[in-house]
Amino acid sequence: MRSGYGHMVIDQVVDSLRAMRAERQERLRAVTTRAEALAYQREVRDKIASSFGPFPRRTALHARVTGHVQRAGYRIEKVILESRPGCWVTGALYIPDGLQGAAPGVLGSCGHSLPGKAMDYNQQFPQHLVASGFVVFVFDPLNQGERIQYVGIPGSEETAASSVLAHNMMAKQLELIGEDMPSWFAWDAIRALDYLLSRPEVDPARVGMTGCSGGGTMTTWMWGLDERLTMAAPSCFVTTFLSNLEDEIPADAEQYPVGVLAAGLEQADFYLARAPKPVILLGERYDFFDRRGTQEAFAEMQRFYGLLGAPEGSLAYYEGPDAHGFRRADMEEMVRFFARQAGIATVRPVAQTEVLDASLLNATPSGNVIEAGGTPVFAMTAKRAQELAKSRPALSAEALPATLSELLGIKELPGVPHYRNLRPERADGAAYARCAVETEGGIRAILRKRLAQPERAHALEVAGTAWLYLPHLSAEEELASPDPAALQGEGDLYALDVRGLGEAMQDDALDFWHHYNVDYLLHGHGLMFEESYLGRRVFDVLSTLNLLYNEGAQEVRLYGRGQGAILALFAGLLDPRVVKVVLKNGPASFQEWATVPIVQWPAANVVPGVLKHLDVADCLRLLGERAQVIDPWGPGMAPRAAGAA
């Protein structure tokens, strides 16, 4: 499959992020006094709260200790609590022996490993802390440790066995109902902090948070969100959003806060939000989270802390010599830093840590909260989707396209785009003309036309009737399949690769259908910019329709298959000139996606919040006789191959 425009989309997003950062850096440079720093800080806090909120109402934690393990010098209590009704969170509370009064506490957040709190480094860092007198609560994130969500679900084995795949799976469904994974993760952490502070052993005036990788993520988000924390030590996470994008590092769903880039924030802003509270940034020289971004963030923090008159030693940086991970040296630096801030005079080094079997740390009988009676996230999502289906009013013929445009972020309809004539090509005994349609900025959608007269390849001439075929994955591959071939006799036949598909597909070492690929990365950045990646693909279709009409078409019909059927559905609604919309292998409903455990459709096909307003049936009702539905696909998406029928 030809892929001649592989960096086109990611480069456009890089340009957008660079422009945002240039504005942010100009604002920061203008902050030169303490009063201005405090004003910037208040603005940043409001933006962070807006990105993650509103949170649900605090409900009873129903926390209980289900057992304990005594070790030399400390004990581990096995804890279970409810962050929201039915959502059970498991954790391990490390308490030093012989406490004399309230001790400093630390909330420990786990990185992306299936064992969660039982992972070796997630047992080792609390041992380093507890030896020096800290009380530490390490909790399991969703689908890690005892919180595997997919228990006894046929076909869910791959998802259940991967923390990142499960996070991204749940996120797709939460987005459909207008919620998001960063907020769910943050709420679990907030309620875990509620529990830690409820313990009489903990001094609420001395409470830190630490964690590596995904744990560093939650430390960062929580630092901007929760003023109760008094010190922080994120490890192997803090860099810049731009570094991650330029290095093409996809993040997990909980690492894409909605609207954070639209608000003009960088990762360092989460720390500026609570300056001059004590922070140490921990990293590794060969981490995939680019250390240049870590150094940039630290330099911004140094200047900002200086403006606020931060006490000496309240800001620190440590870079280890290794690759990604929470290593012994990182842990020791973290303990020394926290001890200084907590007023602990003597740090007791740990000669040898131990790693207990996960079963010894389990707070539930079988090691799983769902088996113990908890409710999986996908079931909560399904319940909310069902409530929305019952309560949302039917949109009028005027309101539905306007609502859809808003959901897709299409603020204004496109004009007639410029196009470039590309080299024609031959395939499967047929000749094809090719055009690069410049839909916006540096984006080009690739338009193909099957030619009856190959010598006429160098001019775009459109007959009175034209079909525009929108493929599941690749126009080049699907034009040779039976569906578009059958359309040839009904007018000119065109096929379009919108951004990120077919010839316009991003360069990627991973298969297109992989849950962690560049297509997913771009969807995540769309969330952070509060732009719909799917909406920009629909924009490509609308631009191309304008081009076809401008070049002589009197009647245009859309034929979309799979992913292309979603584009055809929305473009047909937003352009009433389209006389027919054929939808093959499209989704039967978005509601169905939200009410099953596993959805194989890529995240880029999700419209955030769509089920608050409309579903496929509403769109079909408005299209009326213009629409033809053929063999819709369910959440499993049926064949993944581009040309499979």
Side-chain angles (χ1 to χ4, degrees):
M1 180 172 63
R2 180 193 294 267
S3 181
Y5 296 86
H7 249 75
M8 173 182 66
V9 186
I10 202 167
D11 284 348
Q12 188 201 41
V13 183
V14 166
D15 289 345
S16 296
L17 186 42
R18 286 177 178 173
M20 180 280 283
R21 279 167 45 85
E23 293 178 5
R24 173 185 172 274
Q25 288 167 342
E26 185 175 349
R27 292 200 315 275
L28 265 179
R29 283 192 295 268
V31 175
T32 59
T33 67
R34 174 180 172 82
E36 290 169 344
L38 291 173
Y40 182 89
Q41 188 176 68
R42 287 191 295 270
E43 178 186 345
V44 164
R45 287 178 183 173
D46 288 344
K47 289 178 176 179
I48 292 171
S50 177
S51 176
F52 283 82
F55 286 116
R57 180 177 60 87
R58 268 186 169 87
T59 51
L61 282 173
H62 297 302
R64 60 191 187 276
V65 175
T66 63
H68 73 275
V69 180
Q70 184 64 50
R71 311 308 297 166
Y74 67 97
R75 74 179 185 276
I76 305 171
E77 293 189 357
K78 310 172 189 183
V79 177
I80 187 166
L81 57 90
E82 281 187 288
S83 61
R84 61 184 80 202
C87 189
W88 290 11
V89 179
T90 42
L93 184 71
Y94 294 72
I95 304 174
D97 289 345
L99 279 182
Q100 301 296 318
V106 174
L107 184 65
S109 185
C110 298
H112 294 104
S113 58
L114 206 62
K117 67 181 181 300
M119 187 68 183
D120 53 6
Y121 67 89
N122 290 326
Q123 294 191 52
Q124 290 162 348
F125 79 75
Q127 291 175 46
H128 283 277
L129 284 162
V130 78
S132 292
F134 290 85
V135 176
V136 187
F137 183 48
V138 184
F139 65 98
D140 285 324
L142 284 166
N143 214 74
Q144 295 177 236
E146 296 180 75
R147 300 184 70 196
I148 305 302
Q149 299 290 292
Y150 303 90
V151 177
I153 306 295
S156 70
E157 293 79 10
E158 180 185 7
T159 303
S162 167
S163 60
V164 296
L165 177 53
H167 296 169
N168 296 356
M169 183 69 69
M170 290 181 279
K172 287 188 288 190
Q173 297 173 299
L174 287 170
E175 288 168 24
L176 289 166
I177 60 171
E179 299 188 28
D180 60 88
M181 190 57 80
S183 294
W184 273 66
F185 264 67
W187 187 243
D188 279 353
I190 289 169
R191 301 314 313 275
L193 181 57
D194 286 348
Y195 175 73
L196 179 63
L197 291 174
S198 75
R199 295 290 301 230
E201 301 92 341
V202 174
D203 177 2
R206 297 179 293 167
V207 181
M209 186 167 180
T210 191
C212 180
S213 191
T217 302
M218 293 318 303
T219 302
T220 302
W221 300 164
M222 281 286 285
W223 192 247
L225 287 166
D226 202 316
E227 64 183 1
R228 296 174 296 175
L229 293 171
T230 66
M231 49 193 172
S235 176
C236 285
F237 171 71
V238 178
T239 177
T240 64
F241 290 121
L242 180 63
S243 293
N244 285 340
L245 179 60
E246 288 184 337
D247 296 353
E248 299 181 20
I249 303 294
D252 299 296
E254 67 273 16
Q255 295 173 318
Y256 289 137
V258 175
V260 71
L261 296 180
L265 300 179
E266 258 292 2
Q267 291 182 21
D269 285 311
F270 284 79
Y271 290 98
L272 303 188
R274 301 294 170 189
K277 288 184 176 181
V279 175
I280 180 172
L281 298 187
L282 305 168
E284 295 291 340
R285 181 176 181 83
Y286 300 104
D287 194 358
F288 51 76
F289 288 123
D290 200 317
R291 67 192 180 103
R292 293 172 296 174
T294 312
Q295 292 162 357
E296 177 187 310
F298 184 68
E300 290 182 349
M301 292 166 65
Q302 281 183 305
R303 179 177 177 273
F304 203 85
Y305 272 55
L307 290 173
L308 293 176
E312 184 178 354
S314 60
L315 189 61
Y317 177 87
Y318 172 76
E319 181 183 291
D322 295 305
H324 188 77
F326 210 1
R327 305 182 188 282
R328 182 184 181 92
D330 301 308
M331 298 176 192
E332 291 175 341
E333 288 288 337
M334 175 265 294
V335 174
R336 282 193 289 267
F337 182 81
F338 278 177
R340 285 196 301 272
Q341 310 310 322
I344 293 177
T346 303
V347 173
R348 296 181 175 83
V350 178
Q352 183 69 43
T353 57
E354 59 181 349
V355 178
L356 303 179
D357 187 84
S359 63
L360 294 176
L361 299 176
N362 286 341
T364 55
S366 67
N368 184 266
V369 294
I370 306 303
E371 292 177 341
T375 306
V377 172
F378 63 78
M380 297 184 197
T381 304
K383 180 181 178 182
R384 180 58 181 152
Q386 290 158 357
E387 292 170 351
L388 290 172
K390 292 177 181 177
S391 63
R392 65 173 178 259
L395 295 171
S396 68
E398 295 75 24
L400 197 152
T403 301
L404 180 61
S405 292
E406 185 175 350
L407 289 169
L408 294 174
I410 300 176
K411 299 178 176 63
E412 57 182 38
L413 295 176
V416 177
H418 177 71
Y419 70 93
R420 309 180 191 184
N421 276 318
L422 306 178
R423 290 185 180 184
E425 65 180 31
R426 288 184 175 273
D428 301 316
Y432 296 92
R434 297 164 58 244
C435 295
V437 183
E438 298 182 353
T439 60
E440 60 178 348
I443 299 298
R444 296 176 288 281
I446 309 304
L447 183 66
R448 289 169 173 263
K449 178 184 180 182
R450 183 178 289 167
L451 297 170
Q453 297 173 288
E455 67 276 8
R456 296 188 177 183
H458 296 287
L460 181 60
E461 293 180 344
V462 185
T465 298
W467 278 99
L468 182 59
Y469 181 82
L470 304 174
H472 183 42
L473 184 63
S474 165
E476 179 184 4
E477 295 187 5
E478 292 183 47
L479 274 173
S481 65
D483 286 338
L487 306 176
Q488 183 67 57
E490 301 184 45
D492 286 347
L493 174 60
Y494 296 86
L496 184 70
D497 284 329
V498 296
R499 70 189 72 194
L501 296 180
E503 195 168 342
M505 189 178 294
Q506 293 84 11
D507 296 327
D508 199 342
L510 298 174
D511 176 81
F512 177 85
W513 308 108
H514 194 280
H515 66 279
Y516 222 54
N517 67 0
V518 174
D519 197 61
Y520 159 78
L521 176 150
L522 292 168
H523 171 73
H525 280 77
L527 294 174
M528 291 197 290
F529 270 115
E530 288 191 319
E531 295 178 351
S532 167
Y533 185 38
L534 177 65
R536 302 331 292 165
R537 284 176 167 169
V538 174
F539 188 88
D540 291 343
V541 179
L542 295 172
S543 296
T544 304
L545 287 171
N546 282 344
L547 177 62
L548 293 176
Y549 285 118
N550 190 68
E551 295 299 319
Q554 300 298 312
E555 181 180 290
V556 179
R557 306 171 183 180
L558 289 173
Y559 192 120
R561 178 177 170 273
Q563 295 188 104
I566 299 174
L567 302 178
L569 176 67
F570 292 158
L573 267 174
L574 297 178
D575 191 335
R577 296 172 298 179
V578 175
V579 300
K580 185 166 186 169
V581 182
V582 179
L583 308 170
K584 182 171 183 180
N585 305 143
S589 75
F590 299 122
Q591 177 82 7
E592 190 178 20
W593 291 4
T595 53
V596 296
I598 302 295
V599 178
Q600 295 295 354
W601 290 78
N605 295 282
V606 169
V607 184
V610 66
L611 290 177
K612 288 185 172 183
H613 305 279
L614 57 93
D615 202 349
V616 172
D618 301 297
C619 300
L620 293 175
R621 184 179 65 251
L622 184 56
L623 284 173
E625 294 182 355
R626 289 198 293 152
Q628 179 184 356
V629 177
I630 303 172
D631 188 20
W633 281 345
M637 205 181 65
R640 289 185 176 187

